[in-house]
Amino acid sequence: MELTMMLLLCLVFCIPFSFCQQTKNNGIIFHYNNTYMYNVPYVVYVSKNTEYIMEFAGDLDEYDTPARVTVASDFANRTYPLFITARQQKGVFSWQLPMLVQTPDSLEQFTNISRTLCPHNNIYSEDEDTCDVSTLNTPIVHLTSSSPEPIMVTITVETVQDFFIKLNTETNLTTTPSQPKYYFYPFNQEPNKMVDLNAISIKRKYICNKRLDDSEQRTLDRYFVQSNMERSYGWFSRPKSVIVMIESDDDICAVISIQNFSCPVFDNERDILYDGYYLTMTRRGGITLTQDTFPLGFYIVFIVKTSDEDCTAASGNSTLPRMARILGWDETRVDVAAPDGRLKQFRFKIIQTISYQEYMIAAGAALAFFLSFYVAFIIAVLCQRKKRSDSSMESSQTEEGRVTVAVDTRGKTDTLPRRRRTINTLDASGSSRQCLAGEEQLIQSDRSSMSDTESDDFEDDATVEKDDYMQGGKLCVANLSRCRPRVLSARSKMYLWNVLTVAVFYTLPVIQLVVTYQRLLNQSGNQDLCYFNFLCAHPLMMLSDFNHVYSNLGYVLLGTLFLLQVWRRHQWHRSKTAIEKEMGIPQHFGLLYAMGVALVSEGLLSAAYHVCPNSMNFQFDTSFMYVTAVLCMVKIYQSRHPDINARAHATFGVLALIIFLGLVGVLNANFYFWVAFTVLHLVTCLVMTFQIYYLGRFRLGGGMVCRAARALAAAPCAAVTPARCGRGVLLLLANLANWAVAALGVAQHGRDFASHLLLVLMSNLFLYTLFYIAMKLLHRESIRWYSWVYIALTYSVWFGSSYFYLDLSTNWALTPAQSRQSNRECSLLQLYDSHDVWHFLSATAMFFSFNMYLTIDDNLANVPRTEIMVF
């Protein structure tokens, strides 16, 4: 019986005791302690049976700045990672060690991690619920792992130094992919534009209805007075935005995120896409931020990316032909190696942008510069009217004297002088005898080097008989101006209607697209969408880059002024008599109007492009530059070939082909495309050379090569020696220049094919203009003094502006991060950079160019067309 009782006692006491011991051995032991201090490293051992809950406490003053948690462990692995959870009043954050990051080449891991928590009690918050500091939760860190063996972990919680960024003060920091950092910039930095934590703390006490002493009350009163002055009286001069300027000395790819004043703060590559603005950078970055977007201030987050793929676009291209690799087209990928792994050092500062007053001064200066051209135009018109009135009075007095003499001598009462109309008659062949006598010996020598069958190489023209030129006659403008003026006017007007149609249907979709780009930029916050010069991009209203849009004002104003000039000259031409209209170069006013409309359209499209410049819309900026260049070349050609000038539909067909080539070049400018374009370029130059040399009468036929070979075999010297040495030398120089431009394009083979195409057209326009001026001088034609002024101004301003065009501050052919390395600060009136100066100067140069084309033949206004040579 006693034995039975002892067994029952053993069962009652021993079994529960053994069960409790098993629970103690197999359960999780939680170590909780609220005595951990800031800035002290602690070493703990974590396993699946041991977890730590660590509450860190510090001084109340430390709650104004955030805490930074640093955890390191060399024993945590992929199989049994260490999990870290940080809890505080405004959020919960969790991470793991090792930090695993998938790169394009491999899987990298980091054994230490640092994170910055939100401030416990941000003094810039005006939330009265946080007035009781004693109720605020201190940071609590929870460490856990499933590892069966204890993992040694080192943990430190410290306050962030220099967390509040001061204006115009440079800050240095070092980050890695596992240790991002962020800082806070408050817009309200009173007084003296500095971070005055004392004044903000006093304001905080005032909001929380705490008692202030006399010194604190005086500080608070001074703070409110200065704030009210800024808000009531100083809005016109108060800076509304700042520029964040960031630099680094290495090429490691990083992401900079700008986030609003709120918690949590996203500090990893994935989360930054959900809030604020972000951009990629290597050595330089910048962004302009307005107080309207961030009323109290903003966080600046620095994140080092785990690979450089997003910042470098270079990749291996093994599909290039062997010849392309020999020419240096092999684009191999360059890996950036950092001496300390992916440790990146930053230095940044925040500076004020210009005020609204400085905005208006700079904008008004640009507007006044272009309006000065209108003033000069008005003065010139008034002077010409006065001169004409004086000359008309003199002529009337002369006529009255003649009438008086006629009455006295003849005794007649007729007061109207007799007029006699002189008509320039042409011979039967259609060319005047003056034209036939000028270059008879030159044409005879040229004819001796040709056979009768060579006449098939020249195109028959409906208005000029083929035998006139072949029999020794010198071709004059009279031979090529037989169409009625009404027909020429109708043909010329077609240029105006075509360019207006193209401008309307091209500009409206462009504006719609760039507005969509701007909205997407504002909504997504992705600053890599647009290639701005971020160090000189001043926002205004909805525009992120107001200055580059506004600087295109010159194209619109000067284009409109040129239209006024053409209209005035057109009205003056209408007032001429029928005999006076038959003198000088035939006028194509529709083509001149088209040139003015093209200049205005260029300004509108360039402004639209700069709303959000990138590789997909770069053709908007250059399309009407192509149109302008082609129209100017047609204008030069029509001066001496009025009847056989290109029709408007054919000209715009060629322009459509040019724009198509530009589109293909931007999308896929590979080796084969560059070769095909270079061949097309050089063949076109060769054909145009023959057309200009033979005065537009060259025809490419099947038997031309055979006839040229026979002529070369029969008389080598006569076949090679040009009959017109001056024209031949000028055309040879032009071809050499085109060969140089083609070689430059093949050697560079960049993505910016549109700029190369623009270089081809503009260089040929300059060469053709020089050719026209040189031929005028060779034919002893004088040029008016004001035309010489326009010529000098045109080439001076063009060459001066080319410097600013080549001084690139952005480059959409590179990645956004690479393009930011060229960003630079404003260089003119604190609002404009070198590209804005290019806009100003190029608009002025084009205006001077148009006036040069408009007036270069004014000396021939009273010269019969039978005396004006064709070249």
Side-chain angles (χ1 to χ4, degrees), residues 65-315:
T65 57
R68 184 169 179 83
V69 180
T70 302
V71 181
S73 177
D74 295 332
F75 299 95
N77 52 51
R78 302 178 186 178
T79 305
Y80 300 107
L82 173 69
F83 297 97
I84 306 102
T85 302
R87 178 175 62 85
Q88 59 178 160
Q89 178 194 7
K90 297 182 180 180
V92 178
F93 310 90
S94 61
W95 318 283
Q96 73 175 40
L97 279 181
M99 177 181 174
L100 304 178
V101 177
Q102 180 66 52
T103 64
D105 300 328
S106 61
L107 183 66
E108 296 186 3
Q109 65 179 19
F110 299 88
T111 59
N112 60 77
I113 190 170
S114 296
R115 287 292 188 273
T116 303
L117 308 179
C118 281
H120 314 317
N121 176 28
N122 198 307
I123 58 178
Y124 285 90
S125 175
E126 297 185 358
D127 186 6
E128 296 184 359
D129 294 337
T130 60
C131 288
D132 188 4
V133 179
S134 60
T135 61
L136 296 178
N137 291 328
T138 56
I140 301 175
V141 181
H142 186 190
L143 303 177
T144 181
S145 176
S146 299
S147 174
E149 300 295 331
I151 298 175
M152 186 178 70
V153 181
T154 303
I155 180 172
T156 305
V157 177
E158 55 188 355
T159 57
V160 179
Q161 301 297 324
D162 300 327
F163 179 71
F164 298 101
I165 303 301
K166 300 178 181 179
L167 199 64
N168 300 322
T169 302
E170 187 172 276
T171 304
N172 297 285
L173 68 147
T174 302
T175 62
T176 64
S178 62
Q179 298 178 343
K181 294 181 180 180
Y182 67 85
Y183 299 85
F184 178 70
Y185 173 80
F187 271 106
N188 193 0
Q189 298 194 9
E190 302 295 340
N192 301 324
K193 305 301 181 185
M194 299 295 289
V195 179
D196 192 348
L197 297 180
N198 182 37
I200 300 300
S201 299
I202 294 174
K203 178 186 175 184
R204 183 72 179 167
K205 293 176 64 176
Y206 172 78
I207 294 176
C208 295
N209 297 319
K210 294 184 178 180
R211 184 175 181 179
L212 304 178
D213 56 24
D214 295 339
S215 176
E216 292 176 339
Q217 187 64 45
R218 287 193 299 269
T219 302
L220 183 65
D221 294 340
R222 184 171 62 254
Y223 170 82
F224 280 132
V225 168
Q226 293 183 357
S227 298
N228 292 333
M229 289 180 62
E230 287 288 335
R231 185 164 46 250
S232 302
Y233 306 104
W235 69 270
F236 191 67
S237 59
R238 179 185 179 185
K240 290 294 183 180
S241 57
V242 296
I243 300 179
V244 182
M245 305 174 62
I246 311 166
E247 293 184 350
S248 179
D249 295 330
D250 54 67
D251 294 322
I252 298 176
C253 186
V255 181
I256 310 301
S257 175
I258 308 296
Q259 301 178 26
N260 209 343
F261 175 73
S262 62
C263 286
V265 179
F266 302 107
D267 58 355
N268 60 68
E269 297 184 34
R270 295 183 299 272
D271 294 341
I272 60 173
L273 305 178
Y274 301 112
D275 187 30
Y277 300 151
Y278 61 94
L279 57 93
T280 57
M281 63 160 288
T282 53
R283 290 181 176 268
R284 180 174 295 179
I287 185 172
T288 300
L289 304 169
T290 62
Q291 192 172 6
D292 296 335
T293 307
F294 305 97
L296 295 178
F298 51 85
Y299 292 112
I300 313 171
V301 186
F302 297 86
I303 304 173
V304 178
K305 296 185 72 68
T306 55
S307 67
D308 299 322
E309 185 179 10
D310 292 338
C311 293
T312 58
S315 58

Side-chain angles (χ1 to χ4, degrees), residues 510-639:
V510 168
I511 295 176
Q512 180 183 1
L513 178 62
V514 297
V515 169
T516 303
Y517 267 120
Q518 182 66 63
R519 290 178 178 176
L520 180 62
L521 175 66
N522 296 335
Q523 293 174 1
S524 67
N526 184 5
Q527 300 299 300
D528 290 349
L529 289 176
C530 307
Y531 285 73
F532 299 132
N533 178 12
F534 289 92
L535 299 183
C536 187
H538 298 281
L540 184 66
M541 294 185 292
M542 67 169 294
L543 295 176
S544 301
D545 193 7
F546 163 76
N547 51 301
H548 286 90
V549 176
Y550 178 77
S551 61
N552 290 278
L553 179 69
Y555 296 105
V556 179
L557 292 180
L558 295 183
T560 305
L561 178 58
F562 181 74
L563 289 173
L564 292 176
Q565 289 180 274
V566 175
W567 176 83
R568 181 173 174 273
R569 182 168 286 230
H570 193 186
Q571 298 302 316
W572 177 61
H573 181 76
R574 287 179 176 177
S575 64
K576 288 183 177 181
T577 63
I579 298 177
E580 291 175 340
K581 292 181 179 179
E582 296 296 328
M583 309 289 284
I585 298 295
Q587 297 297 319
H588 288 219
F589 289 102
L591 184 55
L592 294 172
Y593 283 123
M595 292 166 56
V597 173
L599 183 57
V600 174
S601 302
E602 168 60 25
L604 296 177
L605 287 174
S606 180
Y609 162 73
H610 283 91
V611 172
C612 182
N614 54 51
S615 59
M616 292 296 101
N617 58 9
F618 180 72
Q619 61 175 347
F620 303 157
D621 191 32
T622 57
S623 294
F624 268 86
M625 290 294 289
Y626 304 154
V627 174
T628 303
V630 172
L631 289 179
C632 289
M633 285 189 280
V634 172
K635 171 64 180 70
I636 298 174
Y637 188 79
Q638 73 87 30
S639 298

Side-chain angles (χ1 to χ4, degrees), residues 488-502:
L488 290 179
S489 177
R491 292 179 182 177
S492 182
K493 286 182 180 179
M494 290 303 300
Y495 280 95
L496 175 60
W497 298 123
N498 276 269
V499 75
L500 283 173
T501 304
V502 171

Side-chain angles (χ1 to χ4, degrees), residues 338-350:
D340 300 325
R342 297 198 66 81
L343 179 68
K344 189 173 182 66
Q345 296 180 348
F346 296 94
R347 57 183 180 274
F348 73 97
K349 66 178 179 179
I350 299 177

Side-chain angles (χ1 to χ4, degrees), residues 775-842:
M775 293 302 296
K776 281 180 68 72
L777 298 178
L778 289 176
H779 286 80
R780 301 182 182 277
E781 294 182 3
S782 63
I783 299 177
R784 295 288 175 85
W785 66 269
Y786 51 83
S787 295
W788 279 117
V789 172
Y790 285 131
I791 292 172
L793 289 175
T794 295
Y795 285 95
S796 299
V797 178
W798 269 123
F799 285 118
S801 63
S802 62
Y803 168 79
F804 295 98
Y805 179 76
L806 297 175
D807 186 24
L808 297 177
S809 57
T810 60
N811 189 352
W812 60 262
L814 304 175
T815 63
Q818 293 171 339
S819 176
R820 285 188 177 88
Q821 298 184 27
S822 302
N823 291 171
R824 54 178 62 93
E825 299 180 39
C826 301
S827 56
L828 180 63
L829 298 176
Q830 303 182 46
L831 184 66
Y832 308 114
D833 63 357
S834 59
H835 196 73
D836 293 314
V837 178
W838 152 255
H839 285 164
F840 296 147
L841 294 181
S842 61

